[in-house]
């Protein structure tokens, strides 16, 4: 079976890669061009954020309590014209090094912005040590 790579799919994959890359660079200036204002974001087994403003506030908190050293994508694939899945590995430092492996379901609205992103942890259970910590 051969994967079909359209310009639209390449653009959406690039946006997902750019979002994950923002965590490593700590530069979220392009976030409003990637996420819709009325987006939904669900952390791995954690709280949900219901707008771009809530996602930005959550990101600001995360930048204070952890430093992401890597967020690599092992695989990206399209389920529908508007849905992409990303299998990833995430490493963060707080008072210790923490490794996460997960899967994200990413939905794009008609304007090409992410309007729904849900993270699913796939391999191990973690206690999320960064909640309540400060770097």
């Amino acid at each position: 079976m051969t994967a079909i790579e359209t310009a639209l799919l390449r653009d959406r994959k690039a946006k997902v890669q750019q979002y994950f890359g923002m965590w490593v660079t700590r530069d979220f200036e392009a976030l409003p061009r990637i996420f819709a204002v009325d987006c939904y974001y669900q952390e791995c087994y954690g709280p949900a954020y219901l707008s771009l403003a809530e996602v930005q506030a959550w990101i600001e908190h995360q930048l204070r309590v952890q430093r992401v050293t890597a967020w690599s994508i092992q695989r990206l694939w399209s389920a529908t014209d508007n849905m992409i899945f990303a299998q990833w590995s995430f490493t963060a430092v707080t008072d210790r090094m923490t490794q996460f492996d997960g899967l994200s379901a990413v939905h794009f609205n008609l304007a090409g912005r992410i309007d729904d992103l849900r993270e699913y942890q796939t391999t191990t259970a973690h206690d999320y040590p960064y909640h309540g910590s400060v770097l």
Side-chain angles (χ1 to χ4, degrees), residues 52-109:
L52 176 60
E54 287 187 14
V55 171
Q56 287 173 310
W58 170 73
I59 287 170
E60 287 177 23
H61 168 72
Q62 296 300 319
L63 292 177
R64 286 192 305 272
V65 300
Q66 70 175 336
R67 182 173 48 87
V68 175
T69 58
W71 197 334
S72 61
I73 297 173
Q74 279 76 46
R75 184 173 166 211
L76 277 170
W77 68 97
S78 178
T80 67
D81 289 345
N82 296 322
M83 179 73 75
I84 288 181
F85 288 93
Q87 182 182 2
W88 47 264
S89 178
F90 168 95
T91 305
V93 177
T94 56
D95 55 347
R96 66 175 191 237
M97 183 76 72
T98 305
Q99 178 74 37
F100 299 88
D101 298 296
L103 174 71
S104 288
V106 185
H107 186 269
F108 289 84
N109 65 17

Side-chain angles (χ1 to χ4, degrees), residues 22-37:
M22 288 178 187
W23 285 97
V24 179
T25 64
R26 299 175 75 89
D27 179 4
F28 287 88
E29 185 178 324
L31 194 69
R33 294 188 300 277
I34 294 174
F35 276 81
V37 171

